[in-house]
Amino acid sequence: MTVWEMTAVLLAGVAAGGINTIVGSGTLITFPVLLAVGLPPVTANVSNALGLVPGSLAGAIGYRAELAGQRHRLVRYGTASLIGGLTGAALLVTLPGSAFEAVVPVLILTALVLVVLQPRVARAMAARRAAAAAAATAAGTAAPASDGGWLLLACIGLTGVYGGYFGAAQGVLLIALMGMLLPDDLQTVNGIKNVLAMIVNGVAAVFFLFASTIDWTAALLVAVGATLGGALGAKVGRRLPPVALRALIVAVGLVAVTKLLFL
């Protein structure tokens, strides 16, 4: 890579780390940039997964206040995420590279749809919580605690499979699922999401160390950038205009799809 290409990868890592901490889908920034600098799709995906692990850790640490009292859930959901992430990573290196190249445009477009729909899901989550709180107040009881049951656990495991295989908008999926099936506020859900994404990226990265080809320069640049972005995202993420953030993600994702399909 040239100096300018290395700079672009580093800056993409910063953006991805911040976006992953706030909402998820940072892969839609780094993956197209890695393709643009000449990496093959599977190598780009593997190097990206490894590079994003420190950013996920930084984001999880930034949300440690929201994670107080969540130990039971983190162990339960984290186990499902670990198994799912390992399964997805194994599928990535077992299936032929041509299969990944064929399915990636579909995965990116699906992720973009999720990013666009996320505000509507958030509004539905808020309405659901308000209704539950009003019903509990009327009945003179506290809102019931919940861990989402086996349905949420299975969905988190399947999301882990997706995250281990590709990972774009993994965080959006997790927020949507937990937001609909848990009674907690969005910031708590986001903190749990950051830990689960870290587990999926981490177990996939360890698997890739022994089972796939990694571009270490790209992975290191993404890691440095994502660590900075994750720390910044946890501090200032709530101040960023969500519409502009989603517009950037969608624009970069569409460029990636265009490159994969037509170039």
Side-chain angles (χ1 to χ4, degrees):
M1 284 188 281
T2 67
V3 173
W4 291 110
E5 288 173 337
M6 294 173 67
T7 302
V9 172
L10 178 65
L11 293 177
V14 174
I19 290 170
N20 278 339
T21 300
I22 300 162
V23 63
S25 68
T27 291
L28 291 176
I29 301 295
T30 46
F31 183 71
V33 172
L34 293 176
L35 292 180
V37 300
L39 270 65
V42 173
T43 303
N45 188 47
V46 168
S47 304
N48 179 66
L50 178 61
L52 288 178
V53 173
S56 298
L57 176 60
I61 292 173
Y63 272 81
R64 59 189 178 277
E66 285 81 3
L67 293 173
Q70 299 295 323
R71 181 188 177 100
H72 172 72
R73 283 177 174 170
L74 292 177
V75 171
R76 180 178 169 85
Y77 302 157
T79 301
S81 293
L82 188 149
I83 295 171
L86 186 60
T87 302
L91 288 174
L92 178 65
V93 300
T94 301
L95 296 176
S98 58
F100 180 76
E101 293 179 26
V103 77
V104 158
V106 177
L107 294 177
I108 292 178
L109 289 173
T110 302
L112 294 179
V113 171
L114 291 171
V115 170
V116 171
L117 292 179
Q118 198 269 341
R120 182 174 297 182
V121 173
R123 289 193 295 269
M125 289 160 44
R128 174 180 174 272
R129 290 194 186 93
T137 300
T141 60
S146 171
D147 64 359
W150 287 102
L151 174 60
L152 179 57
L153 193 66
C155 289
I156 287 175
L158 291 174
T159 303
V161 175
Y162 169 77
Y165 187 79
F166 183 50
Q170 172 189 189
V172 176
L173 276 171
L174 288 170
I175 287 177
L177 290 168
M178 291 188 289
M180 289 184 288
L181 296 173
L182 295 178
D184 303 77
D185 62 85
L186 185 58
Q187 293 303 329
T188 299
V189 168
N190 203 28
I192 297 173
K193 176 267 293 181
N194 286 334
V195 174
L196 300 185
M198 177 187 69
I199 290 172
V200 171
N201 289 339
V203 70
V206 171
F207 186 87
F208 294 147
L209 286 174
F210 300 97
S212 189
T213 301
I214 297 170
D215 187 304
W216 287 102
T217 300
L220 179 61
L221 289 169
V222 171
V224 172
T227 302
L228 295 173
L232 291 172
K235 291 184 178 180
V236 304
R238 300 178 185 90
R239 303 177 186 175
L240 296 178
V243 174
L245 184 62
R246 289 188 183 90
L248 173 63
I249 293 170
V250 171
V252 173
L254 290 176
V255 170
V257 171
T258 302
K259 177 178 175 61
L260 288 168
L261 291 178
F262 304 112
L263 299 181

